[in-house]
Amino acid sequence: LQKNLLAEAQSLLLQKFMKSFALTSTEQAVVARGRNANLTARKKGKSKSSGDASAYQDSTAFEALLGYTYISDKHRFNEMIGWIKVELDELDSK
């Protein structure tokens, strides 16, 4: 399970998620702000400097999306979590 928590794994998951899960315009804005927030933190030296910066941006964006959805729409959040569980099960079976 730990391999699924790495920024690179979350980045790949976000890319698949955005291709197969229709996001509202608000959710798209949350993803964009999450990416930008990570970029701002990296510029200020508050974030890890190792690894792929793009992967860290994506993972932060994905976490921001899930956090926002958890607070704003529990039903939508549960749909997203259901999709994520299926994807992680598929990855674990490979």
Side-chain angles (χ1 to χ4, degrees):
L1 181 61
Q2 184 178 4
K3 66 181 176 183
N4 293 327
L5 299 177
L6 297 173
E8 292 80 6
Q10 288 182 353
S11 177
L12 291 173
L13 198 58
L14 175 65
Q15 299 310 314
K16 289 177 84 172
F17 184 81
M18 291 182 69
K19 288 179 184 175
S20 61
F21 205 90
L23 297 179
T24 66
S25 59
T26 302
E27 291 166 346
Q28 290 172 2
V30 169
V31 168
R33 290 186 70 185
R35 276 195 184 109
N36 292 340
N38 186 285
L39 182 60
T40 301
R42 291 182 71 75
K43 284 183 179 179
K44 292 181 180 178
K46 294 181 180 177
S47 183
K48 295 179 182 176
S49 60
S50 63
D52 182 18
S54 178
Y56 280 102
Q57 286 178 277
D58 283 351
S59 66
T60 301
F62 198 37
E63 292 167 0
L65 174 63
L66 293 175
Y68 166 80
T69 308
Y70 178 80
I71 291 169
S72 65
D73 187 345
K74 294 280 195 292
H75 178 72
R76 179 79 165 157
F77 175 78
N78 288 328
E79 289 176 353
M80 291 178 176
I81 292 299
W83 182 91
I84 292 166
K85 285 180 181 179
V86 169
E87 287 297 312
L88 291 178
D89 287 345
E90 287 180 16
L91 287 173
D92 284 342
S93 67
K94 291 181 181 178

